[in-house]
Amino acid sequence: MSAVGRLRTPASGSPADATGVPPRAIGFWGGLSANVLNMIGIGPFVTIPLALSALAGPSVLLGWIAGALLCLCDGLVWAELGSTIPESGGPYHYLREAYGRDKAGRLFGFLYLWQTLLTAPLSIGSAAVGFAQYVGFLIPSLGDTGRALIAAGLCLVNTAVLYRRVGQIQRLSVFVSAIVVAACAWIVFSGITHFDMAVARGFFETKMPSSHGFWLGLGAVSLIAVYDYGGYNNVCMLGGEVRNPRRTIPMAVLVSIPLVAVLYMGLNLSILGVLPWAQAAHSKAVVADFMQAIHGHTGGTLAVLLILLASWGSALVVLLGYSRVPYAAAADGQFFPVFARLHPRGGFPTVSLLFVGATSAAACFLSLEHLIATLMVTQILFQYIAQCFAVVALRRRRAAPDVFRMPLYPLPLVISVVGWLYLVATAETSSIVAAVVAVFAGTLLFLWQARRTQTWPFLPR
């Protein structure tokens, strides 16, 4: 194992409070449920209308397929990295080890931590804002301020729920995941059994060009799809708390992607076979309108309640994963020491959890569209492309014999890098500018800190 072993996570599932590290309590089903809950969440229930507006006609399905293929290639990257370095805070350690802990890896690790402080609240906040939008279906009089307050309140409630031993959260995560998958299956089944070929023909015969043009529209839909599929890496954030991580992490990542992809394609086709595509494109609660068209007001209300459960679970597990990143950096001596504090009995990060929960509540006062676009472009530029090259660097070193190796190497890496660059090139200019400014600011902050502490690249001669 690499030098990341400094965090010294125990191999057993028993509490390890005496050593100051959290226990390995998450098995395959816990890891899979953490991924699935993160992936399903509120994403497709609020972004299907956005995708239909970005690329009219059946071409929109190409965007969903392209997004799934890109995520599968990127999932192979995460699976290999998570198996090679199974530590809590995942990408922070991947980048530090790949680019040199005392060299450029210090910069990459710092930039990942820096972008996490920005994107973690955006990711958690987007799930909470989506939750509040569907609450608005039940309470039509709820204004923008009311929805923002509900979203912020959800983040604070989840922080309180996660303030306990991770094994208890695993059981809750598995339970909620089972309900969420069953709810999605019910929604898809309802669409299949009420599929109207005349309505679907109107969608597939649509020739109206997108206002963005085909390639820009395809990029916009693919970016939305990647956001919706995102979350297959959540188990990697909890690597130090996973049992048998070299096998469990790759399995959880690679099983979750096709499982959710099938659900999403079924959901899209089901909706487009019941609702006219123009109505779906302008809906504020498309799944609620869809179920109401089939089962009446009662069916629409029940669908909303299930979606609220899914979005709550998504915000919960995303907060769980991201709360471990500042802790991992602090435990490694690269962040404020207070963030390395663990609960004396539960063995979970306390200050890190409270900080991420509070900043996520503040992010809920931004719009959902701005949250999604800025989140994805920032993560691509800061992290995803760098991780592809990290696989190459780590493969040159001696690895444990049971480490997962991606098939068809290096083809998945090439597809991932090209795909990420395409999504950035077709994104909104404001999102690109925000991400570039964040990278520049983070680099300047790192250089200032390195010069002050006389560390790389300002080592004394």
Side-chain angles (χ1 to χ4, degrees):
M1 190 174 179
S2 65
V4 170
R6 295 169 188 172
L7 291 182
R8 302 188 313 278
T9 47
S12 67
S14 60
D17 301 336
T19 63
V21 292
R24 290 193 180 274
I26 300 175
F28 168 71
W29 292 108
L32 180 64
S33 64
N35 285 358
V36 170
L37 264 181
N38 193 348
M39 295 174 74
I40 295 179
I42 195 65
F45 305 130
V46 295
T47 58
I48 288 178
L50 299 178
L52 291 172
S53 299
L55 193 61
S59 298
V60 71
L61 299 179
L62 294 177
W64 288 98
I65 295 172
L69 293 176
L70 176 56
C71 287
L72 185 60
C73 291
D74 187 59
L76 291 170
V77 173
W78 281 93
E80 181 161 331
L81 291 173
S83 178
T84 303
I85 307 176
E87 296 295 338
S88 294
Y92 170 78
H93 296 292
Y94 308 157
L95 298 174
R96 286 292 306 275
E97 290 299 307
Y99 296 103
R101 296 189 64 85
D102 297 319
K103 296 182 180 180
R106 296 180 63 88
L107 171 62
F108 282 97
F110 180 86
L111 287 179
Y112 171 71
L113 175 61
W114 173 251
Q115 70 97 14
T116 298
L117 297 180
L118 301 175
T119 59
L122 297 177
S123 181
I124 301 165
S126 64
V129 169
F131 175 94
Q133 283 192 358
Y134 269 83
V135 171
F137 180 86
L138 300 177
I139 310 175
S141 61
L142 195 64
D144 293 340
T145 302
R147 285 192 292 269
L149 290 173
I150 288 176
L154 178 69
C155 293
L156 298 178
V157 168
N158 281 348
T159 303
V161 171
L162 291 174
Y163 204 83
R164 66 194 70 243
R165 190 183 300 274
V166 71
Q168 300 172 3
I169 302 303
Q170 177 184 207
R171 292 189 290 272
L172 175 63
S173 175
V174 172
F175 174 72
V176 175
S177 293
I179 295 178
V180 168
V181 173
C184 289
W186 173 53
I187 293 171
V188 172
F189 178 77
S190 297
I192 293 174
T193 54
H194 294 82
F195 195 87
D196 188 336
M197 285 301 301
V199 174
R201 190 178 300 113
F203 167 72
F204 284 102
E205 292 178 353
T206 300
K207 302 297 183 182
M208 184 186 301
S210 168
S211 59
H212 302 281
F214 174 77
W215 291 109
L216 289 178
L218 181 65
V221 176
S222 299
L223 187 67
I224 292 171
V226 169
Y227 167 77
D228 287 344
Y229 291 126
Y232 49 85
N233 53 9
N234 202 43
V235 68
C236 296
M237 305 292 190
L238 310 169
E241 298 167 77
V242 175
R243 293 194 303 269
N244 191 17
R246 298 198 191 282
R247 174 178 172 83
T248 300
I249 290 176
M251 286 182 60
V253 171
L254 299 178
V255 170
S256 60
I257 296 172
L259 173 64
V260 174
V262 170
L263 284 175
Y264 281 2
M265 290 302 296
L267 182 62
N268 274 272
L269 292 174
S270 297
I271 290 175
L272 295 171
V274 174
L275 293 180
W277 77 268
Q279 178 184 347
H282 294 90
S283 175
K284 298 297 183 182
V286 65
V287 175
D289 292 339
F290 161 75
M291 294 300 285
Q292 185 168 274
I294 295 175
H295 300 292
H297 180 72
T298 301
T301 301
L302 180 58
V304 168
L305 294 176
L306 293 173
I307 290 170
L308 293 179
L309 178 63
S311 56
W312 166 72
S314 174
L316 184 76
V317 297
V318 177
L319 175 57
L320 172 64
Y322 274 122
S323 67
R324 269 51 181 176
V325 177
Y327 156 75
D332 205 31
Q334 299 300 314
F335 201 52
F336 299 110
V338 68
F339 284 86
R341 291 182 181 176
L342 292 173
H343 193 275
R345 293 184 300 276
F348 57 89
T350 53
V351 176
S352 182
L353 172 63
L354 294 174
F355 174 82
V356 176
T359 53
S360 300
C364 293
F365 292 88
L366 300 175
S367 69
L368 182 63
E369 294 82 359
H370 185 70
L371 283 169
I372 292 175
T374 305
L375 166 68
M376 292 308 306
V377 174
T378 302
Q379 285 184 321
I380 291 171
L381 291 181
F382 267 97
Q383 175 189 352
Y384 293 165
I385 294 177
Q387 284 185 180
C388 292
F389 294 103
V391 172
V392 179
L394 290 172
R395 279 201 171 209
R396 296 175 179 176
R397 307 179 188 180
R398 189 173 182 179
D402 57 343
V403 167
F404 172 83
R405 297 294 197 187
M406 69 175 68
L408 303 178
Y409 175 87
L411 183 59
L413 293 180
V414 174
I415 295 175
S416 295
V417 172
V418 172
W420 294 134
L421 292 175
Y422 171 67
L423 293 187
V424 170
T426 56
E428 294 290 338
T429 303
S430 59
S431 298
I432 299 175
V433 171
V436 170
V437 169
V439 173
F440 184 70
T443 302
L444 289 180
L445 184 60
F446 169 81
L447 293 175
W448 172 80
Q449 179 177 318
R451 185 176 182 82
R452 183 176 59 87
T453 58
Q454 291 293 288
T455 54
W456 185 93
F458 299 103
L459 293 172
R461 292 185 180 275

